[in-house]
Amino acid sequence: MDCAYFDAWRCRSCTLLETPYARQLAEQQASVERMLSALAWEPPFASAVAGFRNKAKMAVAGTVDAPTLGILAADGSGIDLQACPLHERPIQDAMPVLEALVREARLTPYDVPSRRGELKHLLLTASPDGELALRLVLRSSEAIARIRKRLAALLGALPLASVSVNLQPAHKAVLEGDEELVLHGGTLRMRVNDVPLRLKPRSFFQTNTAVAAGLYRQATAWIDEVDPASALDLYCGVGGFALHAARPGRRMAGVEVAAEAIDAAHESAAELGLDVAFSVGDATAVDLETGAAPELVVVNPPRRGIGPLAARLEASAARHVVYSSCNPVTLARDLQAMPSLVPVRGRVFDMFPHTGHAEVLVHLERR
């Protein structure tokens, strides 16, 4: 991938960019295999090397008349990265329109050193169908009326399925606050393997749609091979694994702490005519010990891993676990806490080319 920002030393986030991609993939696979031995490994799932990222998280800096959309330098000044080649084309094409919105709506960029200003971040997500969801992270509600005034023009310029404002008044390294105001739409339809997932403003989704689609296909293939009568998707988000693996006669459920994500999962299940029991709850507190425990459990936790849930899975009646991890270090730790659930096969999915990050899918079987 050619990147003028990298070559000019304006952004060095893609730390492995100078390493040929085939070598990146091979070294990533070797690193994961060292941490997770004794597995039968499928070939790694490669990504496109550019234009793969479906979400842009742009810090806004500079001035109202000359804003920067990109990242912040160590001194808090802005580094403009509007043409970042990692982003999907609809995101790159939208950046000049969003820069114009900052100027025309007089959205004063937040200045970190002085703790002054209003607009902190622009978050833009693209769907496979080319639609966009925009979130503006503001320090206060002061600018909302001006954004509303320009909303019609914005909708005319961009294929926006959702526009919302998030209020984050605190001066700390937290991307978003607790209050979200939807100005338009509110849902981005994310079609993955013909499964119509739905993203609300706060919903989590993998940043690489093509690789996420491969991840869901692989997990579903392993689940169908085992063919459990019951399965539970923990940390289910908007229902990606559960909706892919739902089958007639298979009792499927999903648990997620975010109510907004569960609402989205219900909507997708209804469209597909699937009977999946999605519910809001703490994945670590789900009943796994009674006779109603599922035969198979899918876990897709955050980077910290499943923690105390590992011991409960070890003591449960579940015969199989499919573990999707974005952190091989915590995955290895969690596997050690489940000695009766033996990892039998795995696959590396390169969600984040040009970095050392890896997504790993592992199938565990009780022995």
Side-chain angles (χ1 to χ4, degrees):
M1 180 183 76
D2 294 324
C3 179
Y5 300 122
F6 186 90
D7 293 342
W9 286 81
R10 295 177 65 190
C11 175
R12 305 290 286 187
S13 298
C14 294
T15 55
L16 302 180
L17 188 58
E18 294 175 313
T19 303
Y21 185 62
R23 182 178 162 191
Q24 290 183 36
L25 208 58
E27 291 181 350
Q28 184 182 79
Q29 179 73 33
S31 175
V32 172
E33 287 189 24
R34 285 194 295 270
M35 284 186 276
L36 306 170
S37 58
L39 273 78
W41 288 98
E42 302 275 352
F45 193 100
S47 171
V49 297
F52 59 82
R53 190 175 175 89
N54 61 31
K55 188 170 186 177
K57 300 179 180 179
M58 311 301 278
V60 184
T63 66
V64 171
D65 294 312
T68 62
L69 312 182
I71 59 175
L72 299 180
D75 63 0
S77 61
I79 300 173
D80 193 84
L81 300 177
Q82 291 187 44
C84 174
L86 296 181
H87 294 140
E88 293 183 6
R89 175 52 59 184
I91 291 177
Q92 294 185 45
D93 291 344
M95 287 300 156
V97 177
L98 298 182
E99 180 188 339
L101 174 67
V102 175
R103 294 195 307 269
E104 294 165 7
R106 311 310 290 170
L107 305 177
T108 307
Y110 185 72
D111 181 71
V112 173
S114 68
R115 304 190 180 192
R116 298 170 66 95
E118 286 296 319
L119 180 59
K120 294 185 172 184
H121 290 90
L122 292 173
L123 310 178
L124 192 65
T125 304
S127 79
D129 297 323
E131 291 189 314
L132 299 169
L134 172 65
R135 300 177 72 199
L136 299 96
V137 181
L138 302 174
R139 189 178 69 163
S140 75
S141 60
E142 180 270 334
I144 291 178
R146 298 196 300 280
I147 296 170
R148 286 188 184 277
K149 185 177 179 180
R150 286 154 184 83
L151 186 58
L154 186 63
L155 296 176
L158 296 175
L160 287 162
S162 176
V163 179
S164 65
V165 167
N166 179 272
L167 299 182
Q168 208 296 71
H171 179 80
K172 57 184 179 180
V174 176
L175 185 64
E176 61 185 44
D178 295 330
E179 186 176 352
E180 191 91 20
L181 176 65
V182 175
L183 305 183
H184 168 74
T187 301
L188 179 67
R189 184 183 171 91
M190 206 79 174
R191 181 178 44 80
V192 182
N193 298 322
D194 294 323
V195 174
L197 302 178
R198 288 167 166 79
L199 302 187
K200 309 287 187 181
R202 293 177 176 274
S203 297
F204 168 80
F205 186 74
Q206 301 283 5
T207 59
N208 190 322
T209 305
V211 178
L215 177 71
Y216 289 138
R217 290 194 301 270
Q218 184 66 78
T220 302
W222 288 350
I223 294 168
D224 284 346
E225 184 178 325
V226 173
D227 195 21
S230 58
L232 174 63
D233 182 3
L234 297 179
Y235 311 92
C236 71
V238 297
F241 287 105
L243 292 168
H244 276 80
R247 298 288 183 270
R250 179 180 295 164
R251 298 193 310 277
M252 178 66 69
V255 176
E256 164 63 42
V257 70
E260 183 181 79
I262 290 298
D263 289 343
H266 279 303
E267 292 173 13
S268 294
E271 179 178 344
L272 292 168
L274 297 174
D275 183 16
V276 181
F278 289 111
S279 60
V280 178
D282 179 357
T284 65
V286 172
D287 180 11
L288 297 171
E289 286 77 27
T290 69
E295 293 181 25
L296 182 145
V297 178
V298 178
V299 292
N300 182 28
R303 289 187 60 80
R304 64 179 178 272
I306 61 175
L309 180 59
R312 297 191 58 230
L313 283 169
E314 168 69 12
S316 77
R319 302 298 306 170
H320 299 270
V321 173
V322 175
Y323 192 140
S324 179
S325 170
C326 61
N327 186 347
V329 174
T330 55
L331 170 60
R333 180 206 65 199
D334 290 339
L335 295 185
Q336 289 180 349
M338 299 183 286
S340 297
L341 288 161
V342 178
V344 294
R345 52 189 171 181
R347 191 171 191 185
V348 174
F349 292 79
D350 193 15
M351 290 280 182
F352 315 100
H354 318 306
T355 76
H357 297 293
E359 185 85 17
V360 185
L361 188 71
V362 176
H363 174 204
L364 297 89
E365 190 173 76
R366 190 171 297 280
R367 297 287 174 85

